[in-house]
């Protein structure tokens, strides 16, 4: 069974940078397909942040593209999200998910709440 | 960017009834549509992929249909655990986009 688990700080100050890591178990992220980050402000809908293929090619939401970087660490079977210049509008639950394309094994992480506040 | 519009925003039904949820795409997405279910306080869960394929462990009462721009999620004979929010999501082209969700509530 594929399991994904997000980890990172729960609270970050405005203007700072967020770093989140998704640890994947039960599936090698180098096997193929792609992985993604999605966020959800409390009480609102889902917003795709970006995705990265095992090859290293990444796609980002145009609304966030200037502030987002996704990277893969195959040796640790992890992929990470970096989001800069945080504001209160970035307060949300952040989820990792995948593998997109191998839907028999697709899974969501349990999510982690990020609060941006001074 | 492909916009997905879900209807209705809220659907009020009783257990045992049939639910029909719609998702309309602003342009052709072939069958690259997924449905996700989210219960309060939980992460979303993949229900259907490529419009009509059930994900692992999803009960047969969930089915999906459609292609192009019109898609439907049908739940036959609602169970108490089916009352949740449902999101459609397309992967036909970047950026990946989600619909705004349909809340299925107990009448």
């Amino acid at each position: 069974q594929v399991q994904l688990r997000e980890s990172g700080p729960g609270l970050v100050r405005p203007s700072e940078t967020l770093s989140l890591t998704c640890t994947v178990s039960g599936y090698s992220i180098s096997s193929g397909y792609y992985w993604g980050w999605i966020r959800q402000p409390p009480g609102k809908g889902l917003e795709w942040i970006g995705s990265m293929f095992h090859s290293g090619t990444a796609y980002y939401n145009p609304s966030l593209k200037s502030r987002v970087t996704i990277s893969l660490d195959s040796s640790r079977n992890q992929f990470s999200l970096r989001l800069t210049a945080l504001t209160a509008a970035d307060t949300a639950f952040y989820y990792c998910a995948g593998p997109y394309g191998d839907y028999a094994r697709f899974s969501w992480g349990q999510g982690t709440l990020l609060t941006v506040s001074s | 960017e492909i916009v997905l519009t879900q209807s209705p925003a809220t659907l009020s039904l009783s257990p045992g009834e049939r639910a029909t949820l719609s998702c309309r795409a602003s342009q052709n997405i072939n069958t690259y549509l997924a449905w996700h279910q989210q219960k309060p306080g939980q992460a979303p869960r993949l229900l259907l992929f490529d419009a009509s394929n059930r994900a692992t462990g999803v009960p047969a009462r969930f089915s999906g249909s459609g292609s192009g721009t019109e898609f439907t999620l049908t739940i036959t004979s609602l169970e108490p655990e089916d009352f949740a929010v449902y999101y459609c999501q397309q992967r036909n082209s970047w950026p990946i986009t989600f619909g705004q969700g349909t809340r299925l509530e107990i009448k």
Side-chain angles (χ1 to χ4, degrees):
Chain A
Q1 181 182 2
V2 182
Q3 293 187 320
L4 293 84
R5 186 181 77 252
E6 305 87 352
S7 58
L11 177 65
V12 180
R13 297 184 185 279
S15 79
E16 292 187 341
T17 295
L18 168 69
S19 292
L20 290 177
T21 297
C22 182
T23 301
V24 180
S25 59
Y27 198 100
S28 170
I29 64 173
S30 301
S31 296
Y33 309 110
Y34 59 97
W35 306 83
W37 288 96
I38 301 97
R39 71 180 183 179
Q40 182 177 39
K44 297 188 177 181
L46 300 169
E47 178 184 36
W48 176 75
I49 299 171
S51 292
M52 174 161 273
F53 284 80
H54 66 98
S55 63
T57 300
Y59 292 88
Y60 301 119
N61 189 321
S63 68
L64 300 169
K65 188 173 183 178
S66 63
R67 300 194 290 132
V68 174
T69 304
I70 296 175
S71 58
L72 265 64
D73 185 343
S74 299
S75 65
R76 298 185 177 188
N77 217 41
Q78 297 175 334
F79 60 102
S80 299
L81 170 70
R82 184 172 181 266
L83 183 64
T84 63
L86 292 170
T87 71
D90 295 311
T91 293
F93 290 92
Y94 285 75
Y95 298 99
C96 55
Y100 289 85
D102 186 1
Y103 290 101
R105 312 287 298 280
F106 183 92
S107 186
W108 288 77
Q110 85 280 6
T112 185
L113 176 61
L114 170 74
T115 301
V116 180
S117 175
S118 56
Chain B
E1 173 175 319
I2 294 174
V3 176
L4 298 178
T5 303
Q6 293 187 240
S7 61
T10 302
L11 184 59
S12 299
L13 294 170
S14 300
E17 291 192 295
R18 179 187 185 95
T20 302
L21 287 67
S22 296
C23 178
R24 174 176 292 179
S26 60
Q27 56 188 275
N28 179 21
I29 58 169
N30 299 293
T31 57
Y32 294 120
L33 187 92
W35 290 93
H36 302 269
Q37 175 195 63
Q38 187 176 33
K39 298 179 182 180
Q42 296 184 19
R45 167 200 180 195
L46 176 67
L47 287 181
L48 300 167
F49 62 93
D50 293 347
S52 61
N53 297 284
R54 280 189 296 276
T56 304
V58 175
R61 64 181 181 273
F62 291 90
S63 64
S65 63
S67 65
T69 62
E70 299 285 342
F71 300 86
T72 300
L73 168 65
T74 301
I75 313 171
T76 59
S77 190
L78 284 164
E79 297 287 343
E81 62 267 27
D82 299 336
F83 292 91
V85 179
Y86 293 83
Y87 294 94
C88 58
Q89 170 243 308
Q90 68 81 25
R91 66 178 183 95
N92 183 78
S93 61
W94 304 102
I96 288 175
T97 51
F98 289 90
Q100 81 280 15
T102 289
R103 181 178 303 277
L104 178 57
E105 63 178 27
I106 298 177
K107 188 174 182 179

